[in-house]
Amino acid sequence: TVAIDQLPVVMGDKKANVRTILAYLGEAAKADCDVAVFPECSFAGWLSPAAKAAAETIPGPFTRELAKRARKHGMAIAIGLEERDGGRIYNSAVFIDREGRLLARHRKIDELEIGLKVYSRGETLGVVDFERRKAALDICADSWNPQITDALVLMGARLIFSPSAWAVEPGGVATNIAWIRETYRQRAKGRDLTIVSANGVGEVSEGPWKGRILQGNSLVTGPDGVLLLQGPENEAGLLTLSLP
């Protein structure tokens, strides 16, 4: 059972976002979920000017806290966060298993040009064993690139956790989610592949995309491209689904 955490992201406010993440973890544990999946750039919001100040090393204080919570709740966690490595900032994601082990770290590869002004580009992909499944991480637009999905499938991935930040101009939500839904359908079509994408909600109040909204509409796309779940539009909350 997967918890898809449609967080209300407060741009630039790491303390508020961390409090919300930990609260949602508690709710996912109460729902007896096996894995909790969170959005992209959960510390400060995608493209926030606060990314540099918010970023942490991996492992670091926050991932150690998540590991403690994973052990406490017996629940795995996949989450996007801003990573510091020397003088570079990465748009990263981590996957922590039920025992609190950091199984995987992914740095976003298919970062938009506008994002490269904030984040450095990742260069590697990986697949891990997780409870009789091969699992992997990607981040948002990584899934727009069929070569990335193809590579993960060739490496054995059957389950991809995809923290995301789908932000659109007001009025563009329906068109955007239709395109995203079709893109995921194409990635999973003809394959035994499930993609779990968690998106945030709320106003993009700073940075170059100020004025857009994080639309919610988190998606779970199952084998052969079947839509298993679509979250509500711009509504925070915890969504749960038992995967086949």
Side-chain angles (χ1 to χ4, degrees), residues 1-2 133 158-159 192-196 220-224 226-229 241-244:
T1 300
V2 177
R133 298 177 190 244
R158 296 296 177 265
L159 177 60
D192 180 17
L193 176 66
T194 299
I195 306 172
V196 180
V220 180
T221 305
D224 204 29
V226 175
L227 179 66
L228 300 179
L229 178 146
L241 179 70
S242 294
L243 298 180

Side-chain angles (χ1 to χ4, degrees), residues 128-177:
V128 299
D129 291 309
F130 176 66
E131 300 183 3
R132 300 185 301 280
R133 298 177 190 244
K134 293 284 187 181
L137 294 168
D138 75 10
I139 300 174
C140 199
D142 286 337
S143 292
W144 312 158
N145 188 329
Q147 293 176 319
I148 292 176
T149 310
D150 291 351
L152 290 173
V153 170
L154 285 170
M155 294 167 73
R158 296 296 177 265
L159 177 60
I160 297 175
F161 299 113
S162 185
S164 298
W166 307 327
V168 296
E169 298 284 354
V173 169
T175 300
N176 195 50
I177 194 59

